[in-house]
Amino acid sequence: MNSTASITAPAQAIEGDVPGDLRADASKTSRFVFSGSVIRHEGVAGTRGFAVAPARQLHSSQTDADGPYILIAHDLTPAETQAMDLTRVSGFCTAAGGPTSHAVQVAYSLGIPTIVAAGDQVLSVPDGTVCALDGDTGTFYSGLTGDDLVAATAHRDRRATRPRARRNGGSPPVTLTGTITLASQAVELREAGADGLGLLATELLFLGREQDLADEEQHYAAYREIARAVGSAPVTLRTLDIGGDKEVPALGLPREDNSFLGVRGLRLSLRRPDLFLPQLRAAYRVARDDGAQLRLMFPMVTRVEEFLQAAETARQVQADLSAPALPLGVMVEVPACALAVDQFAGHVDFLSIGTNDLAQYLTAMSRTSADLACDVDLLHVAVTRTVRAVAETGASHGIPVSACGGLAGDPVGAIVLASLGVTALTVALPYLPDVRDALTRTDSATLATIREHALSTGGSRHLRGLVTDLLDC
């Protein structure tokens, strides 16, 4: 902990997102210094942004009526995150956790800045202490008063009113779709410029009321609300991805020593038809009743036989309901699926690369580990080479390949993914404008150069510097 704290103002054209290694290069930033009374806590960037507000510990006795606040916790589950009145939360700071955890992804989808792995000392910050949270650098400042508070507030306001990134009037080289965690966000898709919903994590719609996961009518109502808000745009429903750090006590699932390698995603759905069938029936009913342009995507697929079993179940439901056929695809996030993706090519309608889990499994680094939070690198050369291989396989079979996760929502990461050949990116709505602006400044020659480096060297630090230099950011 340092006695003198400073704020780093990030480069404005392209900024970092998830994880911390994708944050702006400090050599291209401006600084101002807080007084010695401000305490600085070093963490890891989760989602970008800058917040100034009173602190509140997770189990505080204060009420939400007290106004916006920065929430401090040891860690947060996705259920805890979404159960809050998030309109009152200016930012999240956790003592533990990883930068690509599902709790961070919930905050990311809502544009809430986050810091993880800031250490247990943040748990001693008293409720009501005015703090600043810098999601670009992963730094949390507590005890702001007087001129320090004025400076931090001015910095926040400058960020909020800064000019948009430069536009060259061109179109991005990939299709841009959105991702949401609340049904109410669906109406914002058109305004954000998204070409439909590229990923609807259906389990997140039920956080806080997990007992409804087996209720067909609850699924039907949620999907219908979203489909009507989106209109004729496509909506990709990812079937239940429960497990890992998304525990659902209401389902009474057995505890696993390593839940990220356990019965999660499609593995659970195939074992629990009481969860799988109501979800499938609801989706096909919405497609039949409203003509909604739905697609079904299965998570955590390892073997082609798993997909074929799920697809057969889906088509039986379709026939029983006299519903239209829906495109069926898989999430490519398990190395076994990525390395054998050619076996899926003759069966799936589309592929979607989940960059957070793919990086976790390829590098053997848990996305929730505070000890590894600084080491997570979504642009490790193993990840970039795998993305390229999947994209090439998809192209050779005429199958669209999208990508989602932290990389897709970071302008630099989005550019790298586009260079590797994905055809679409799924981005949280608050970050779509920055991603679009960055992509429209690219051309085929620039993308070719970036691709060469991504496949030979990789690494967030190297690729960030390369992209910002090539695009004069």
Side-chain angles (χ1 to χ4, degrees):
M1 184 184 305
N2 298 331
S3 60
T4 301
S6 64
I7 282 184
T8 301
Q12 294 186 359
I14 291 186
E15 302 177 63
D17 188 20
V18 188
D21 277 348
L22 293 179
R23 58 183 178 262
D25 186 341
S27 66
K28 297 188 178 182
T29 61
S30 58
R31 285 181 176 274
F32 61 90
V33 178
F34 284 142
S35 70
S37 62
V38 175
I39 299 175
R40 174 173 175 161
H41 309 263
E42 292 292 352
V44 176
T47 52
R48 68 182 184 270
F50 190 86
V52 179
R56 183 177 301 174
Q57 298 289 335
L58 177 61
H59 299 296
S60 169
S61 59
Q62 295 189 29
T63 66
D64 284 350
D66 297 328
Y69 58 89
I70 295 173
L71 182 74
I72 302 176
H74 174 72
D75 202 357
L76 288 169
T77 66
E80 288 173 332
T81 305
Q82 193 130 339
M84 303 168 194
D85 180 0
L86 295 174
T87 63
R88 295 286 186 178
V89 178
S90 297
F92 294 119
C93 179
T94 62
T100 60
S101 69
H102 283 98
V104 169
Q105 294 308 300
V106 172
Y108 157 72
S109 73
L110 298 170
I112 298 174
T114 61
I115 293 173
V116 298
D120 288 342
Q121 290 174 326
V122 297
L123 302 177
S124 300
V125 176
D127 286 348
T129 303
V130 179
C131 301
L133 184 152
D134 191 340
D136 298 293
T137 64
T139 311
F140 185 70
Y141 307 91
S142 62
L144 274 65
T145 59
D147 290 343
D148 295 324
L149 178 56
V150 171
T153 303
H155 179 70
R156 178 197 63 193
D157 294 344
R158 282 196 301 271
R159 287 180 52 90
T161 59
R162 69 189 181 194
R164 296 294 311 152
R166 299 186 306 275
R167 292 180 180 270
N168 65 4
S171 299
V174 296
T175 299
L176 293 178
T177 63
T179 180
I180 63 174
T181 59
L182 301 174
S184 59
Q185 290 179 288
V187 297
E188 304 173 28
L189 276 174
R190 289 173 182 159
E191 181 180 347
D195 186 15
L197 266 175
L199 169 63
L200 178 63
T202 55
E203 69 280 353
L204 296 183
L205 299 175
F206 293 88
L207 289 177
R209 53 186 186 91
E210 290 84 354
Q211 69 278 2
D212 292 334
L213 283 170
D215 188 325
E216 180 180 328
E217 294 306 317
Q218 295 289 340
H219 282 278
Y220 179 76
Y223 304 160
R224 196 174 201 188
E225 176 186 355
I226 291 169
R228 288 182 170 182
V230 171
S232 60
V235 175
T236 302
L237 302 176
R238 185 183 70 187
T239 59
L240 296 176
D241 185 11
I242 295 168
D245 60 345
K246 288 181 286 189
E247 298 180 356
V248 185
L251 297 182
L253 300 175
R255 180 175 178 81
E256 297 183 278
D257 290 337
N258 192 335
S259 56
F260 279 109
L261 300 180
V263 181
R264 60 170 289 204
L266 187 60
R267 298 171 184 173
L268 177 63
S269 292
L270 293 177
R271 288 166 170 78
R272 290 287 301 270
D274 60 313
L275 297 175
F276 197 33
L277 289 175
Q279 180 170 39
L280 294 179
R281 286 182 55 84
Y284 278 104
R285 284 173 58 197
V286 172
R288 180 195 64 190
D289 297 348
D290 285 28
Q293 301 301 304
L294 302 183
R295 307 194 308 169
L296 292 175
M297 180 165 66
F298 305 124
M300 288 298 295
V301 180
T302 304
R303 297 176 292 111
V304 70
E305 290 83 5
E306 292 172 325
F307 170 78
L308 293 175
Q309 182 181 349
E312 176 59 29
T313 301
R315 290 173 182 133
Q316 184 60 56
V317 169
Q318 173 203 344
D320 292 345
L321 295 173
S322 299
L326 299 181
L328 304 177
V330 299
M331 290 283 290
V332 182
E333 49 196 342
V334 179
C337 179
L339 291 171
V341 73
D342 60 305
Q343 295 186 0
F344 292 83
H347 306 285
V348 301
D349 297 304
F350 63 94
L351 299 165
S352 179
I353 301 171
T355 59
N356 292 332
D357 268 325
L358 183 63
Q360 170 180 235
Y361 294 126
L362 283 172
T363 61
M365 292 187 184
S366 171
R367 59 192 292 179
T368 62
S369 171
D371 290 336
L372 296 174
C374 290
D375 299 319
V376 174
D377 187 355
L378 297 182
L379 289 174
H380 189 289
V381 69
V383 178
T384 57
R385 289 177 179 176
T386 301
V387 170
R388 177 61 173 171
V390 173
E392 287 185 316
T393 299
S396 66
H397 290 83
I399 301 171
V401 178
S402 64
C404 60
L407 274 184
D410 164 52
V412 169
I415 290 171
V416 174
L417 288 171
S419 79
L420 295 172
V422 300
T423 59
L425 296 174
T426 299
V427 182
L429 300 187
Y431 305 106
L432 265 169
D434 285 343
V435 169
R436 181 181 298 277
D437 289 339
L439 287 169
T440 56
R441 294 198 299 275
T442 63
D443 55 37
S444 58
T446 301
L447 290 176
T449 298
I450 294 169
R451 178 170 61 251
E452 178 183 352
H453 283 259
L455 296 176
S456 61
T457 306
S460 296
R461 298 185 187 280
H462 170 66
L463 290 176
R464 171 162 294 282
L466 173 70
V467 172
T468 53
D469 287 343
L470 287 175
L471 298 181
D472 190 26
C473 298

